[in-house]
Amino acid sequence: MSDHPKLAEKFASNTNRMKWHDKALWFVRQKRDIQAQSLPEWEALRDKADAIKTHTLANLDHYLSAFETNARKRDIEVHWARDAQEHNKIVLDILRRNGATKLVKSKSMLTEECHLNPFLEENGIDVVDTDLGERIVQLRHEPPSHIVLPAIHLKKEDVGTTFEKFLHTQKGNSDPTYLTHEARKHLREKFLGADAALTGVNFAISETGGIVVCTNEGNADLGASLPKLHIASMGIEKIIPRLKDLSVFTRLLARSATGQPITTYTSHYHSPQHEGEMHIIIVDNGRSQILGNKKYVKSLQCIRCGACLNTCPIYRRSGGYSYGYTIPGPIGSTLGASKAIQKNASLPFACSLCASCSNICPVKVDLHEQLYLHRQDVVDAGLLDKTKHRALKMATWVMKHPMIMDSGGKIARKLVPILPRNLLYSKFNVWGKNRELPPFPKQSFKELYKERKK
Amino acid sequence: MKIGLFIPCFMNELYPEASMDTLKILESFGLDVDYPLEQTCCGQPMANTGCAHESAQLAKRFVEIFKHYDYIVAPSGSCVSMVRHHYAQFVSEMEGFEHVQKNTYELIEFIHDIIKPDHLNVSFPYKVGIHNSCHGHRELGLASMSECHAPAFSKIKDILDLVSDISFSTLERNDECCGFGGTFAVSEEAMSVAMGRARLEDHIKAGSEYITGVDMSCLMHMQGLIDRDKLPIKTIYIAQILAKGLA
C-alpha cells in the first residue's frame, strides 16, 4: 500500500535537497515553456494530437491489427502479451532461441512496469540499461525516479561515488564530463559484446508496420545496430495511424520533455537487420481495462514526455519514489489508481488539484480531473481513512443545519481565543504543526449582516 | 438585477471583514445584493476528498437556495469552480441547475466581465504581489497560464489597475500553487507547507509588501506560515483593497 504523505515528508525533510530537486525540475519546465511559447501553433498542435489519439483509441483494434499485418510484411515478428508475465516470458524465449545471454536495453518504462530486469537476471541473462541515467540507477539497484530523467534525484557527487564503486573511477572525482566519458567507455564495451538489444517504442505506425524510438544519447541505435537481434516492447496505446501523424507528436514530445526542439535521435525501425531478427511485443498489462473506462481512457493518450512531473509542485518536492509506483507524478497517480486502487489509494490525493498538469500535457490528458474522480473511487472502495470520512460526514450534516453551524461557530469563536496554546496546538491539530491558526473574530459575517440589516 | 451573495463557510466564520468588504463593493456599484441566511457550504471540501454522496447533498442545497437570483457572486475562485465545473455530476437533473451554473461568478470575474467599471475611488500605495490561486486561475480562466501559448492577460490585474498608487511585484513563478488545496493542506501537510513557504520566498524576493488574491483560503494558508515563521510580508484579501474608503 502506497503512503505518499509519509514518503513525501521523508524526502522533503532534507530541505536543501528538496529545494535543489525542485529547482532542477523547474529549470526543465522553464526550458519547455520557452519552446512551447516559440511555436505560435502550440495549442493547435495539442488539439491535433488530442484528436489523433482520441480517434486512435476509439479504433484501437483496427489500428493494432493493421499494424501487425504491415509489420509481418516487413519480416518483423509480432507477439502479443496479455500481462507482464507473458511479456517477460516472450522476451526470454526469443533470447533463448537465439542463444543470447547478453542484452543491452534502451530505456523503456514498459519493461520497468513488467519488472523485466530481475526476471531476466534470475534466468541467467546479463541485462545492461544503456541510457546513462538508467545505467546509474541500475548500478545502484534503484528504479528510475522520473520517466525521462531517471536519475534526477541524484546529485553529481552521488553519481561519482556510484561510479567509484562499480566502474572504479577516480576517488572523489564527480566532474560530469569525466564521469560521462567513463560511462561511455563502460557502455561501449557492453554494446560491442551484446547478443541482443531491447528497445522501447515511442510510436508504432499502423500504416507502415514500423516503430519509432526517440533518444538523446543514440543508445537505442547502437543497441539495435550492433547485435543482430532487436526486440521492441510496446504498450497497446503506442500506436498512431499514419506516418504523417508522427510529426505532430515529435514536435510536441521533445519540447514537452526536455525543452529541446527535437530529440537528438528520432530513429525509425522498419525491418530486421541483414540476416538478423526483429521482434515487436505488443503488451496490454491492464491497458484494455482503462480503455473501457470513459473516465480514465484519456490517460492512454500519454506519450511519456514527463512534462506533468516537471510542472507538478508536489512531484518536484516529494521525489519520484514517494509515489511507490513505476510511473510517478500526475500521470502515474492516475495510471496507478486505475490499475490497482487498493495499492495506490494515496496517489490521487498526492495532488492539490492545481491543474497545471492538465494544461501542460501535450496530448491534453485531463490529469487533474482524473485524479479528482479517482478520489471518489477511493471512497467507493471504502479506502478513505475512516476518521477523515467520519469528519466530512459530520461536517456535511452540520452544513445542512445552518442553526447548528451558527451556534457551533459562535462557541468556537468564544472558546478558541481562550484555549491554552499547548491544547490548541496539540498533535491533533495538523494544520498547526507548521502554521498559525487565523485569529478568531468576535462575530461571524452572518451576525454582522443581520445587525446591519436592522 | 438581483444578486445572491455566497460567502464561503469558513469566510463567514473566520473572515467577516473580508466578507463585509465583498458586500460593500457590490453595493457600491448600485447593485441589489441579498445574502440568503440559510446558506452554508458549497460542498467543495467533501468533493475534493472524494465524498460524492456528501457533496451531492450540499450541491442540492446550494442550487435550491440560489436558483432565484439573476447572478450568484462569491468571493472565492475555488467555490465558484466547484459550482461551474463539478456540480453537473451531482445535480444536473435539478431544476435551476443550469441557471445557477451559468450565472455563478467569482467576485473579480463578476466585476470585470459584468460590471466593467472604468474607475474606482481607492488608493493602495503598496507593492502588491498577486497570488493566482489555481482554481480561479486555471479553471475559471481569470488570467493567462504560464503553461499555455496564449496572449497574456489578467482580470485581477485589470481590476487592481483601477486602484491608485498601487504597484506590482514580478514573481519568478507567476502561477504556481501555494499548497493549500483544501483537505490537501492537512492530508499532505509536509508538501502543503513546503509549497507555501516557496511561494512566500518568491514574493519576499520580489519585494511584495502584500500578497493578494481571489481565494481567502490560499491567503489563510500563507498567512499561517507568515505568522509562524515571522516573515516580513502580509496577506490581504482583494476585496479589502477595493473596499478601502467605502463606508
Side-chain angles (χ1 to χ4, degrees):
Chain A
M1 178 107 172
S2 68
D3 190 356
H4 187 272
K6 233 186 212 140
L7 296 170
E9 186 169 15
K10 198 174 145 209
F11 185 82
S13 66
N14 184 340
T15 311
N16 286 337
R17 193 174 265 262
M18 179 258 287
K19 285 188 174 179
W20 169 82
H21 192 259
D22 163 62
K23 249 191 179 161
L25 290 159
W26 185 258
F27 175 67
V28 185
R29 152 88 212 254
Q30 282 178 309
K31 275 171 62 188
R32 171 262 169 216
D33 288 354
I34 293 167
Q35 285 298 332
Q37 276 146 22
S38 72
L39 287 191
E41 69 273 34
W42 183 256
E43 299 303 328
L45 268 179
R46 289 176 72 218
D47 286 335
K48 182 100 187 154
D50 180 15
I52 295 170
K53 281 283 181 183
T54 306
H55 166 82
T56 312
L57 289 172
N59 301 279
L60 197 59
D61 51 344
H62 162 73
Y63 286 117
L64 279 171
S65 74
F67 174 77
E68 179 182 24
T69 309
N70 293 331
R72 289 217 159 110
K73 277 188 207 153
R74 294 175 175 274
D75 296 324
I76 299 168
E77 280 191 49
V78 179
H79 311 257
W80 298 83
R82 205 167 308 152
D83 53 27
Q85 217 183 342
E86 275 190 19
H87 165 264
N88 294 352
K89 195 173 167 296
I90 293 167
V91 174
L92 184 63
D93 286 349
I94 298 169
L95 294 175
R96 285 211 169 130
R97 225 183 304 137
N98 285 274
T101 57
K102 289 180 185 151
L103 178 71
V104 280
K105 257 179 69 201
S106 143
K107 197 170 138 44
S108 149
M109 287 309 292
L110 175 61
T111 57
E112 286 292 334
E113 174 189 322
C114 295
H115 303 291
L116 176 71
N117 285 13
F119 172 80
L120 291 181
E121 281 157 8
E122 277 164 29
N123 285 282
I125 308 287
D126 177 26
V127 188
V128 174
D129 282 313
T130 59
D131 169 277
L132 178 55
E134 190 91 350
R135 184 62 182 151
I136 295 165
V137 292
Q138 190 190 21
L139 289 172
R140 296 168 62 92
H141 303 288
E142 289 171 359
S145 75
H146 184 291
I147 59 176
V148 176
L149 313 158
I152 191 69
H153 59 293
L154 299 172
K155 293 189 168 188
K156 61 182 184 193
E157 291 78 16
D158 303 321
V159 178
T161 51
T162 306
F163 280 11
E164 246 174 73
K165 186 168 165 196
F166 296 100
L167 308 183
H168 311 293
T169 53
Q170 292 164 4
K171 214 170 155 48
N173 193 340
S174 57
D175 173 58
T177 311
Y178 167 71
L179 293 177
T180 311
H181 279 292
E182 290 301 305
R184 187 193 173 97
K185 264 195 264 171
H186 158 75
L187 284 169
R188 253 328 122 95
E189 270 173 38
K190 297 290 179 187
F191 278 120
L192 290 168
D195 305 316
L198 189 145
T199 67
V201 171
N202 285 94
F203 305 100
I205 306 161
S206 180
E207 172 190 58
T208 66
I211 59 159
V212 176
V213 180
C214 305
T215 70
N216 271 326
E217 298 168 19
N219 52 317
D221 306 70
L222 267 182
S225 311
L226 292 170
K228 292 279 184 195
L229 175 60
H230 177 194
I231 305 168
S233 297
M234 61 177 264
I236 54 171
E237 80 284 11
K238 293 288 178 182
I239 209 97
I240 55 170
R242 301 158 301 183
L243 181 61
K244 75 173 196 184
D245 300 320
L246 181 67
S247 61
V248 174
F249 296 99
T250 49
R251 295 187 80 197
L252 289 166
L253 178 67
R255 286 186 169 90
S256 299
T258 50
Q260 294 165 269
I262 193 114
T263 45
T264 317
Y265 301 91
T266 299
S267 309
H268 296 238
Y269 300 100
H270 272 79
S271 63
Q273 289 190 50
H274 180 61
E275 292 178 348
E277 282 183 24
M278 181 172 168
H279 299 259
I280 296 175
I281 312 171
I282 304 173
V283 185
D284 182 339
N285 204 31
R287 286 162 176 74
S288 53
Q289 197 189 320
I290 302 177
L291 190 66
N293 190 327
K294 267 197 195 129
K295 290 190 287 185
Y296 308 122
V297 63
K298 273 179 110 66
S299 62
L300 292 181
Q301 295 189 178
C302 173
I303 55 171
R304 301 290 189 268
C305 67
C308 62
L309 281 62
N310 302 340
T311 204
C312 177
I314 290 109
Y315 172 86
R316 273 189 265 117
R317 293 182 176 84
S318 69
Y321 298 146
S322 62
Y323 295 81
Y325 186 67
T326 308
I327 298 176
I331 182 66
S333 293
T334 182
L335 291 171
S338 286
K339 195 160 188 182
I341 192 99
Q342 192 97 26
K343 235 174 115 184
N344 299 306
S346 76
L347 299 190
F349 298 93
C351 162
S352 62
L353 297 175
C354 82
S356 181
C357 52
S358 302
N359 289 304
I360 210 163
C361 178
V363 289
K364 294 196 146 184
V365 179
D366 48 349
L367 287 158
H368 81 289
E369 284 159 39
Q370 295 198 6
L371 295 175
Y372 171 86
L373 291 173
H374 276 302
R375 294 177 184 192
Q376 296 181 6
D377 297 349
V378 170
V379 172
D380 286 345
L383 298 167
L384 184 68
D385 175 71
K386 295 275 174 290
T387 321
K388 204 182 289 173
H389 203 174
R390 229 175 295 142
L392 284 164
K393 277 184 178 165
M394 182 73 178
T396 306
W397 183 79
V398 172
M399 295 306 182
K400 278 162 51 184
H401 299 86
M403 273 170 56
I404 294 170
M405 183 181 153
D406 292 347
S407 38
K410 205 170 195 159
I411 295 167
R413 275 191 305 278
K414 283 222 160 64
L415 195 64
V416 170
I418 56 167
L419 277 181
R421 193 171 168 89
N422 58 4
L423 203 64
L424 192 57
Y425 287 90
S426 73
K427 65 173 180 175
F428 299 107
N429 178 0
V430 183
W431 173 278
K433 194 175 160 193
N434 284 292
R435 285 164 292 211
E436 289 296 302
L437 292 166
F440 278 47
K442 286 215 162 56
Q443 287 178 295
S444 70
F445 169 72
K446 198 193 270 188
E447 287 166 12
L448 291 181
Y449 180 82
K450 280 196 210 156
E451 275 177 20
R452 191 171 176 264
K453 263 219 139 162
K454 272 181 201 162
Chain B
M1 170 155 78
K2 187 95 179 154
I3 315 284
L5 175 65
F6 174 70
I7 297 293
C9 43
F10 80 100
M11 278 185 82
N12 172 53
E13 301 294 345
L14 294 172
Y15 296 98
E17 283 157 21
S19 307
M20 190 51 84
D21 283 344
T22 304
L23 174 63
K24 282 183 194 163
I25 294 160
L26 290 171
E27 287 177 343
S28 76
F29 293 119
L31 298 166
D32 180 8
V33 187
D34 183 37
Y35 171 78
L37 293 170
E38 67 274 35
Q39 64 174 280
T40 52
C41 170
C42 68
Q44 190 192 175
M46 295 75 190
N48 278 3
T49 319
C51 300
H53 177 69
E54 283 73 23
S55 345
Q57 298 172 40
L58 296 175
K60 274 189 197 111
R61 270 194 101 239
F62 188 97
V63 173
E64 204 51 59
I65 292 168
F66 285 103
K67 67 182 180 190
H68 302 296
Y69 293 97
D70 296 317
Y71 288 100
I72 301 106
V73 180
S76 165
S78 66
C79 297
V80 172
S81 180
M82 170 74 194
V83 174
R84 208 177 285 172
H85 296 294
H86 298 297
Y87 267 23
Q89 187 197 349
F90 309 119
V91 289
S92 61
E93 301 294 308
M94 216 176 141
E95 186 243 317
F97 159 65
E98 274 175 36
H99 172 78
V100 168
Q101 185 191 37
K102 224 174 92 194
N103 295 294
T104 300
Y105 280 80
E106 186 281 320
L107 173 69
I108 297 303
E109 184 186 36
F110 181 74
I111 297 174
H112 184 277
D113 293 2
I114 309 294
I115 307 294
K116 303 176 182 158
D118 51 17
H119 75 283
L120 291 170
N121 290 325
V122 58
S123 156
F124 194 69
Y126 297 100
K127 193 163 182 181
V128 170
I130 296 173
H131 174 61
N132 289 310
S133 55
C134 305
H135 289 179
H137 191 68
R138 297 201 178 83
E139 290 190 335
L140 300 183
L142 292 183
S144 50
M145 294 173 280
S146 57
E147 297 92 17
C148 298
H149 184 115
F153 73 96
S154 166
K155 295 181 182 180
I156 302 174
K157 174 112 188 333
D158 284 353
I159 296 302
L160 285 176
D161 273 337
L162 301 174
V163 173
S164 321
D165 313 313
I166 196 167
S167 60
F168 299 96
S169 56
T170 307
L171 300 169
E172 236 169 71
R173 302 183 187 183
N174 190 43
D175 52 8
E176 176 146 297
C177 178
C178 70
F180 173 68
T183 51
F184 176 84
V186 172
S187 63
E188 286 266 4
E189 194 265 349
M191 285 296 104
S192 173
V193 165
M195 288 156 73
R197 286 196 175 128
R199 290 317 292 138
L200 291 167
E201 273 174 35
D202 197 356
H203 277 282
I204 291 169
K205 218 171 123 192
S208 312
E209 291 170 89
Y210 282 94
I211 302 174
T212 195
V214 301
D215 270 274
M216 193 70 233
S217 49
C218 303
L219 299 178
M220 172 174 75
H221 162 64
M222 286 189 278
Q223 189 64 50
L225 286 165
I226 292 170
D227 291 343
R228 176 64 59 89
D229 298 349
K230 304 203 171 16
L231 299 173
I233 193 165
K234 282 174 268 194
T235 61
I236 184 169
Y237 183 62
I238 192 159
Q240 291 178 287
I241 297 179
L242 303 181
K244 285 217 179 286
L246 290 178

